[in-house]
């Protein structure tokens, strides 16, 4: 079984807040496929730092507003 | 479905059909006689050649019926492809080692050729399955 990523994101909410931007439109702006945007939104894929910054730039937000790494899970991972 | 996932499906299906055909032809040709003496060369060459041609044609067809994807390949596609190739490659090495041992111990060419063919088949099928699972279930690059 593939280990799920601990990184969460708010891309779906941000897309709706930006004039209901489609996954395809976001994919075009970032330069990835629509399937990759879907996988990122569903937490099935963690993008590279560069793609993460590109997504944040599309929404004109700092990286922390788009991607989160919850403290509880992060501490658990560090101690295990 | 991403174009690369379609390609992985095509590779898996074509390989299974080609190898299944090959096995049916050789087992039929052996017809109860020792397997090592069965004529296999033409069946092997034709199924390998047929699989290559079929895979090329199906890939072209997949690209035509999904113009929106346009064969676009991004970072995730490349990472998944690398994972699949990495998994598949181990079987090629295993096949080469077995073929080496077969040659050293003086086994018939039939067994050497067949263990190499089987290694290519397993490499292709398992590499494709790894890619499909990565596309479906998720994939983390660490």
């Amino acid at each position: 079984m593939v280990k799920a990523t601990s990184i969460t994101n708010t891309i779906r909410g941000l897309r709706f807040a930006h004039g209901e931007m489609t996954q395809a439109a976001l994919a075009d702006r970032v330069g990835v496929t629509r399937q990759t945007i879907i996988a990122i939104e569903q937490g099935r894929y963690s993008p590279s730092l560069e793609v993460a910054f590109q997504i944040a730039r599309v929404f004109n937000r700092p990286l922390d507003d788009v991607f989160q790494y919850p403290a509880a899970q992060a501490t658990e991972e560090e101690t295990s | 479905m991403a174009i690369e996932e379609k390609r992985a499906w095509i590779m898996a299906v074509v390989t299974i059909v080609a190898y299944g055909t090959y096995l049916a032809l050789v087992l039929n040709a052996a017809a109860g006689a020792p397997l090592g003496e069965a004529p296999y060369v033409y069946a092997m060459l034709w199924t390998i050649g047929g699989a290559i041609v079929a895979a090329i044609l199906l890939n072209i067809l997949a690209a035509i019926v999904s113009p929106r994807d346009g064969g676009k390949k991004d970072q995730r596609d490349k990472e998944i492809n690398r994972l699949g190739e990495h998994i598949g490659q181990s079987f090629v090495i295993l096949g080469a080692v077995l073929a080496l041992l077969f040659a050293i111990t003086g086994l018939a060419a039939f067994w050497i050729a067949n263990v190499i063919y089987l290694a290519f088949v397993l490499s292709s099928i398992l590499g494709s399955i790894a890619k499909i699972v990565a596309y479906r279930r998720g994939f983390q690059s660490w």
Side-chain angles (χ1 to χ4, degrees):
Chain A
M1 187 61 206
V2 180
K3 190 180 163 198
T5 178
S6 303
I7 300 169
T8 59
N9 68 76
T10 50
I11 295 173
R12 197 175 159 82
L14 286 165
R15 280 197 296 110
F16 281 96
H18 280 73
E20 303 202 358
M21 184 189 289
T22 62
Q23 289 168 328
L26 177 59
D28 276 347
R29 302 258 312 254
V30 179
V32 297
T33 62
R34 191 174 64 86
Q35 286 82 7
T36 294
I37 295 293
I38 295 169
I40 294 170
E41 279 192 10
Q42 294 175 347
R44 287 191 287 116
Y45 176 66
S46 298
S48 68
L49 202 50
E50 191 156 356
V51 170
F53 271 112
Q54 284 169 343
I55 293 171
R57 187 170 290 170
V58 169
F59 296 123
N60 212 11
R61 295 286 186 91
L63 193 61
D64 266 13
D65 282 4
V66 185
F67 292 95
Q68 296 80 36
Y69 193 52
Q73 278 172 318
T75 315
E76 195 181 298
E77 298 240 321
E78 279 158 18
T79 53
S80 65
Chain B
M1 195 191 284
I3 187 82
E4 291 302 312
E5 188 184 341
K6 284 179 193 154
R7 289 201 175 123
W9 277 106
I10 289 169
M11 187 54 95
V13 171
V14 164
T15 307
I16 289 168
V17 170
Y19 194 64
T21 308
Y22 170 75
L23 282 184
L25 289 172
V26 172
L27 290 175
N28 216 21
L35 196 58
E37 291 164 17
Y40 68 96
V41 177
Y42 285 111
M44 187 178 280
L45 294 177
W46 277 107
T47 51
I48 291 173
I52 292 170
V53 172
I56 291 171
L57 292 177
L58 288 169
N59 274 319
I60 291 170
L61 195 68
I64 291 169
V65 297
S66 49
R68 277 189 65 216
D69 292 327
K72 197 171 148 190
K73 213 171 167 180
D74 66 10
Q75 187 182 54
R76 177 168 158 265
D77 293 314
K78 285 178 195 158
E79 285 171 7
I80 290 177
N81 190 51
R82 212 174 296 145
L83 169 84
E85 296 302 318
H86 183 76
I87 289 172
Q89 200 197 14
S90 53
F91 287 89
V92 174
I93 294 167
L94 187 67
V97 170
L98 283 174
L100 190 71
L101 289 175
F102 286 6
I104 290 169
T105 54
L107 275 179
F110 175 90
W111 297 110
I112 298 171
N114 273 283
V115 79
I116 294 173
Y117 191 14
L118 182 62
F120 282 138
V121 167
L122 289 178
S123 161
S124 168
I125 293 172
L126 290 161
S128 301
I129 289 172
K131 288 180 201 175
I132 292 164
V133 169
Y135 275 111
R136 297 261 149 163
R137 291 279 187 85
F139 167 75
Q140 309 301 341
S141 48
W142 63 74

